[in-house]
Amino acid sequence: DMNDEEGGLPAVWRRHQALADGVRAAVEAWSAPDGLSLNIASPAHRSNAVTTIRTGAIDSRELARRCARDAGLTLGIGMAVEPDHSFRIGHMGHLNPPMVLGTLGTIEAALLAMNAPIGGSGSAAAAAVIGGALAG
């Protein structure tokens, strides 16, 4: 039974919450004028399944191309939101902290390589949030 393997349903929900909170902390740390921002401003309306990130003046297709070409990371394209100025990160299902932190670190490296405007280290912010959740 998968629930037994994953510690039961409450543990699964806590893990999804921790990973989602880590992704959102990363985006908030990266946030800068003309840069990245969360699509959903109100924390009460954010999903623990997926986060849509607006890229401002940063070309999201170029960001996705660099992540795929240089690191083998496929970013989800923005769907209802402007596809050239958004992307998505899923954080539900068969995911764990190394996968999410690796994704965020790769995105941060690509942003730095593009000289994109970022406020601070999203990787560090996510590690702090996820680490706190792991500590229980």
Side-chain angles (χ1 to χ4, degrees):
D1 182 346
M2 184 174 358
N3 283 339
D4 290 341
E5 290 176 19
E6 296 184 4
L9 206 49
V12 171
W13 289 119
R14 278 194 305 276
R15 186 178 72 248
H16 291 159
Q17 178 77 49
L19 297 178
D21 287 345
V23 168
R24 293 187 286 255
V27 178
E28 288 171 350
W30 288 330
S31 182
D34 293 325
L36 303 184
S37 63
L38 292 165
N39 184 49
I40 304 296
S42 169
H45 294 102
R46 295 176 185 157
S47 168
N48 283 346
V50 64
T51 295
T52 298
I53 298 135
R54 291 184 177 268
T55 59
I58 301 165
D59 182 345
S60 64
R61 293 188 191 271
E62 175 63 12
L63 176 63
R65 187 185 70 74
R66 285 175 183 249
C67 286
R69 182 197 69 201
D70 299 339
L73 174 67
T74 302
L75 295 181
I77 59 165
M79 293 173 62
V81 183
E82 307 167 57
D84 290 337
H85 298 285
S86 66
F87 66 97
R88 294 172 300 125
I89 299 175
H91 31 72
M92 240 178 117
H94 183 69
L95 285 178
N96 59 30
M99 295 164 83
V100 170
L101 293 168
T103 294
L104 296 171
T106 300
I107 292 167
E108 188 165 314
L111 289 166
L112 292 169
M114 293 171 67
N115 292 315
I118 63 171
S121 175
S123 298
V129 167
I130 292 171
L134 291 174

